Amino acid sequence: MSHQLCIFASGTGSNAQKIINYFKDSETATVSLIVSDKPNVGVLSIAQKEGIKWKVLQKGELASESFASFLKDKEISMIILAGFLRLIPLSLIQAYPQQIINIHPALLPKYGGKGMYGMNVHRAVRDNHEAESGITIHYVNEKFDDGAHIFQASCQIYSEDSPEKIAKKVQVLEHGYFPMIIEKVLHSDRN
Ligand code: GAR
């Protein structure tokens, strides 16, 4: 059975693009919908360029029952958070148990939680003189960055690395691993 994936993203969408590319000719899954909480962001241009249906969330819509039903009607079987900055409401977690996956640009449980996203994470890693950083791919629960871990990969950080340099290193890991780990999860999915 081929899975219909929905990507939630709030920004540029470079991870979304990698996931779309990876599953283009796949029998395992297709990216069939992109959802953003913001209009005019890069990920929506990607959706248009790729001919993928997209949707911008209205205020309060994420937590509405009709939104979960909308995704079910579209036969979405897995939700992928790729730079989505809103907290996922319980209603959606219950509609998609163990079927929502997030990527976080650090080695959780360090540098997670509210406000820890994007460059904020990399600045904190640099300010604390960490010797390594990395990525965590995890299931989503009702708290930020708190669900069970699926995969981690790390990279070395040097004292002279700027937050931008750290971001680049982490992004290489994200782009290299995220699509492949999604595929692994789909293959191990017994539902
Ligand atoms: C990625 O680095 C992702 O890990 C991060 O946002 C970036 C999105 O980049 N997510 C978080 O910080 C979530 N807490 P992209 O739009 O280029 O894919």
Side-chain angles (χ1 to χ4, degrees):
M1 184 195 76
S2 182
H3 288 267
Q4 308 283 328
L5 306 180
C6 176
I7 297 177
F8 285 19
S10 305
T12 313
S14 72
N15 280 282
Q17 181 74 69
K18 294 287 172 191
I19 297 164
I20 293 163
N21 294 350
Y22 187 89
F23 288 107
K24 236 170 216 170
D25 300 314
S26 162
E27 289 178 4
T28 307
T30 336
V31 176
S32 51
L33 181 66
I34 295 193
V35 168
S36 179
D37 57 325
K38 294 192 184 126
N40 309 318
V41 284
V43 72
L44 295 177
S45 311
I46 292 173
Q48 281 160 15
K49 177 184 72 139
E50 297 287 349
I52 296 171
K53 291 200 174 69
W54 54 274
K55 175 176 179 55
V56 176
L57 291 168
Q58 302 304 307
K59 202 165 185 284
E61 193 176 2
L62 187 59
S64 67
E65 265 181 39
S66 59
F67 180 58
S69 312
F70 166 81
L71 296 175
K72 294 280 178 187
D73 286 348
K74 293 238 170 299
E75 301 191 334
I76 299 298
S77 51
M78 172 95 38
I79 297 171
I80 311 293
L81 311 188
F84 187 68
L85 304 181
R86 296 275 188 102
L87 189 64
I88 299 299
L90 195 58
S91 55
L92 208 52
I93 290 163
Q94 285 169 344
Y96 283 92
Q98 300 285 88
Q99 291 161 321
I100 311 178
I101 292 176
N102 180 44
I103 189 160
H104 186 77
L107 295 170
L108 292 173
K110 282 179 151 184
Y111 304 105
K114 196 166 164 49
M116 274 294 167
Y117 59 86
M119 288 306 295
N120 293 352
V121 174
H122 308 305
R123 269 185 227 110
V125 165
R126 195 271 318 264
D127 290 350
N128 288 332
H129 310 288
E130 295 286 355
E132 61 170 12
S133 190
I135 61 170
T136 305
I137 297 169
H138 64 93
Y139 290 109
V140 170
N141 69 11
E142 68 283 5
K143 294 185 201 146
F144 275 117
D145 307 321
D146 187 60
H149 292 185
I150 298 167
F151 176 84
Q152 288 190 307
S154 59
C155 54
Q156 267 189 300
I157 305 297
Y158 302 109
S159 51
E160 67 270 23
D161 285 352
S162 62
E164 289 73 21
K165 175 92 185 184
I166 299 171
K168 270 264 161 289
K169 289 181 179 181
V170 168
Q171 192 183 56
V172 169
L173 294 175
E174 293 191 322
H175 291 176
Y177 284 111
F178 199 18
M180 200 172 79
I181 297 300
I182 293 167
E183 187 177 41
K184 278 199 175 162
V185 170
L186 292 172
H187 281 305
S188 64
D189 187 3
R190 286 181 185 80
N191 295 325

